Amino acid sequence: IMLRLLIAFLIVVMTFPTQADDRLIENFSSHPEMRWKFIADTVMGGISSGELKFNSERGETYARMTGNVSTENNGGFIQFRRSVINGLPTNTKGLKLSLRGNGQKYFVHIRTKGTFLPWQYYQQSFMASEGWSEKAMLLTEFRPSGVLLKKTIDPKNIRSIAIVAFGRDHEAKIDVRKVSFF
């Protein structure tokens, strides 16, 4: 009976979707500074400040964004963003991040072919706990920043992905070691 239970367990484990089903967008190796750009609200007169660094721990490289988000002077964000040149496959259901932070709320902003103005994006929030964890986000759960945008994201039209500290006065500290889609 133990052998049958073991076989049944192995069949379930082997047929369950695994991380191999995820398609890697970024693992921050091999010159990530060429792909990721730090942006603060100073581009529009805000006074938020911060920086993006790439670190290594236990053989894995990760991005670390730190800074002070201030809503003074019509500001309120810092972010790091990467372009997605040819969009994502049309069957993409969502994004997955491997991350840790300071227990604060952060956001993923996605820009598409249809987001022409700087304040247009699709957004989803998440909490960044102190230990490494994975956050899976369905594209259908991202919300447009305004009424002029389509309600849903077409994966093939994705043009950039950003990790954002946004919307309130706070100290930001977030590490991301992997970005993938599923």
Side-chain angles (χ1 to χ4, degrees):
I1 194 146
M2 289 300 285
L3 181 59
R4 279 190 249 186
L5 286 173
L6 179 61
I7 292 171
F9 173 77
L10 289 174
I11 290 171
V12 168
V13 168
M14 294 175 74
T15 59
F16 193 80
T18 64
Q19 286 187 348
D21 295 332
D22 297 341
R23 303 277 311 268
L24 185 67
I25 295 173
E26 181 68 71
N27 66 1
F28 299 97
S29 64
S30 186
H31 304 288
E33 68 279 1
M34 304 294 288
R35 296 179 298 279
W36 291 89
K37 178 180 175 183
F38 178 82
I39 304 166
D41 58 20
T42 54
V43 298
M44 53 181 244
I47 62 169
S48 298
S49 61
E51 65 181 355
L52 175 63
K53 290 186 175 183
F54 301 98
N55 301 317
S56 187
E57 181 178 288
R58 295 184 180 125
E60 290 190 289
T61 307
Y62 61 93
R64 171 172 284 168
M65 181 175 68
T66 57
N68 180 40
V69 180
S70 173
T71 56
E72 287 186 47
N73 209 33
N74 295 319
F77 75 88
I78 60 174
Q79 67 175 279
F80 62 107
R81 183 189 302 169
R82 179 197 163 134
S83 293
V84 179
I85 304 301
N86 295 315
L88 297 178
T90 56
N91 63 346
T92 299
K93 300 293 182 220
L95 296 176
K96 188 182 288 185
L97 305 175
S98 177
L99 57 90
R100 67 181 175 191
N102 58 354
Q104 299 288 316
K105 182 178 182 179
Y106 293 91
F107 299 85
V108 172
H109 285 186
I110 293 177
R111 293 183 51 82
T112 67
K113 282 183 179 180
T115 55
F116 300 107
L117 302 172
W119 52 85
Q120 292 179 316
Y121 49 83
Y122 293 85
Q123 171 179 275
Q124 186 171 346
S125 66
F126 61 91
M127 296 299 291
S129 60
E130 291 185 18
W132 287 108
S133 65
E134 288 194 349
K135 304 291 181 188
M137 302 173 195
L138 294 173
L139 292 181
T140 56
E141 294 175 350
F142 279 77
R143 298 292 165 243
S145 63
V147 296
L148 298 177
L149 297 177
K150 291 181 178 182
K151 297 291 182 216
T152 59
I153 298 171
D154 183 342
K156 72 178 180 294
N157 291 331
I158 292 175
R159 293 296 170 252
S160 70
I161 298 169
I163 310 303
V164 186
F166 171 75
R168 60 187 171 77
D169 296 331
H170 69 285
E171 289 291 321
K173 179 182 177 187
I174 184 166
D175 298 339
V176 179
R177 67 180 173 191
K178 195 178 294 181
V179 180
S180 57
F181 64 91
F182 58 92

